[in-house]
Amino acid sequence: MKKKTAKKRAQKLILRAASRIFGEMGYDGASVKKVADEAGVSKSLVHYHFHTKEKLLLEAQKATFRELHRRISEGAKRGEVGLRAALSALDSMWESIRDLREGAPFVVETLSLAGQKKDLQPNIRAFYEESTALLSDGIKCVFEEDIERLAIPPDRMAILLRIVLEGLTVELAQVQTSADLRRVDQAYTDMRKLFGDFVLLKEALTNTE
């Protein structure tokens, strides 16, 4: 049990370091050694957990979606379902992205790789498929009793949410002043309101704040 916990702790540490290094140096400028130095672990340990640089890049992003899915699933088991639960999960996702603003350029870097590095396309496609599937399953969990009332099916809604969050992340990557950050926060608030107002057909809930 202790060995498993230590493994997860090391992976989390490495992924956070990878987010910072890729964000600061880009894909080509970053290296496994630099990530290892940032995380305070050996290069061999990084290779042991993630094998290649491109896998490390994608796994750092997957971690965010997996954490969101875990929170949604556990909340649903506790009876936290419906629109308010969905908005709470969305807020948690945005807070995790916002709190690690230095990692925003790293996300943008990943998005750009899809068209630049053909050898990475299968892994990037797999990343998109997994992240979308996790979001779709999360939507099904929180709207289990209202699936028929969703404005669009969970799989299509998941794609839409992923695209919107990626767009906000691109904006976050360009933040330089507090005014810039307020503008991005307002964009998220506006998106959240639209989601709350229109995710369910004929939704009677009026207070979603």
Side-chain angles (χ1 to χ4, degrees), residues 32 41 103 130 137 145 151 163-164 172 178 194 201-202 205-206:
V32 172
V41 300
E130 179 179 343
D137 189 66
E145 299 178 0
I163 290 172
V164 170
L172 200 60
S178 58
L194 287 173
L201 298 174
K202 299 180 181 178
L205 182 62
T206 58

Side-chain angles (χ1 to χ4, degrees), residues 1-13 49:
M1 186 67 178
K2 289 183 178 179
K3 187 176 181 180
K4 188 175 181 180
T5 300
K7 180 179 179 180
K8 287 184 177 181
R9 188 181 300 115
Q11 289 176 337
K12 186 175 181 179
L13 188 66
H49 287 297

Side-chain angles (χ1 to χ4, degrees), residues 6-14 32 35-36 39-52 56:
K7 180 179 179 180
K8 287 184 177 181
R9 188 181 300 115
Q11 289 176 337
K12 186 175 181 179
L13 188 66
I14 293 168
V32 172
V35 172
V41 300
S42 67
K43 180 180 176 181
S44 60
L45 184 63
V46 178
H47 277 298
Y48 171 76
H49 287 297
F50 300 103
H51 307 297
T52 64
L56 176 60

Side-chain angles (χ1 to χ4, degrees), residues 7 21 24 36 44 50 79 90 112 165 173 177 194 199 201:
K7 180 179 179 180
I21 293 299
E24 292 172 4
S44 60
F50 300 103
L90 197 60
S112 69
L165 288 170
T177 67
L194 287 173
V199 65
L201 298 174

